[in-house]
Amino acid sequence: RKEVEQDPGPFNVPEGATVAFNCTYSNSASQSFFWYRQDCRKEPKLLMSVYSSGNEDGRFTAQLNRASQYISLLIRDSKLSDSATYLCVVRVTGGGNKLTFGTGTQLKVEL
Amino acid sequence: DGGITQSPKYLFRKEGQNVTLSCEQNLNHDAMYWYRQDPGQGLRLIYYSQIVNDFQKGDIAEGYSVSREKKESFPLTVTSAQKNPTAFYLCASTTTGNYGYTFGSGTRLTVV
């Protein structure tokens, strides 16, 4: 089983739609959680951290369910510019401050 | 502006050659990382370093080597022992605490 699992998509949605991505992680010692965005042939960029109480940044909302080991990202009012791959990322307690990346969910926003 | 610089952007290697990928950061970050990305496989950790003159193997270190002689620099050498080196290589850094990584723009290595 992969440490971080995501539906690879692609999710094809019309502009203005609301779309949700889910992610599960296997290591209960995971302590920090992030969503990264990666455009085609570019480096990943931090979209937002995910906090236990849930957090929002504009049109983006992230949720964490530690009991179910489940993370979600909700994008409201999708824009064409939101088209990218979204990576679910976790940090496990322990040495190295290492991050483990999911394989990503591809989003395509269409006119 | 502070950031991470990777060079070159594109690199072509002949079979049997060693090549070195450069990674330099001016963010004053202590920890630096090398990842490899292949299509459909996500990012996999090659090596990481939390402090100067110290580094540890990641999940796929075979065929790679690193050094960390300066805080700002963490070069990666892809040796001839790496059987499938064609990939997108990403360098990242972070500071202590609950922070994500900052990535460089990557190097695309192709074996010809």
Side-chain angles (χ1 to χ4, degrees), chain A residues 28-39:
Chain A
S28 59
S30 298
Q31 64 171 161
S32 305
F33 309 89
F34 308 90
W35 282 102
Y36 274 72
R37 170 194 170 126
Q38 186 173 24
D39 293 287

Side-chain angles (χ1 to χ4, degrees), chain A residues 2 32 34 36 38 41-44 46 49 51 87 91 95-103, chain B residues 33 35 37 40-43 45 48 50 88 90 94-95 97-101 103-105 108:
Chain A
K2 291 182 180 178
S32 305
F34 308 90
Y36 274 72
Q38 186 173 24
R41 301 179 70 81
K42 299 285 189 181
E43 74 275 21
L46 180 63
S49 300
Y51 303 116
L87 307 175
R91 174 186 289 123
N97 206 21
K98 295 177 289 183
L99 298 182
T100 300
F101 289 76
T103 54
Chain B
Y33 305 81
Y35 283 84
Q37 187 174 34
Q41 293 197 46
L43 278 71
L45 182 63
Y48 65 101
Q50 294 179 269
F88 186 39
L90 288 158
T94 190
T95 188
N98 184 23
Y99 303 107
Y101 294 170
F103 280 91
S105 57
R108 291 196 179 274

Side-chain angles (χ1 to χ4, degrees), chain B residues 59-81:
Chain B
D59 301 317
I60 55 164
E62 186 176 350
Y64 300 97
S65 66
V66 294
S67 63
R68 186 86 186 277
E69 297 175 0
K70 298 186 301 181
K71 186 175 185 178
E72 301 81 15
S73 178
F74 191 40
L76 173 74
T77 296
V78 184
T79 75
S80 57

Side-chain angles (χ1 to χ4, degrees), chain B residues 35 46 57 86 106:
Chain B
Y35 283 84
I46 304 172
K57 293 181 179 179
T86 295

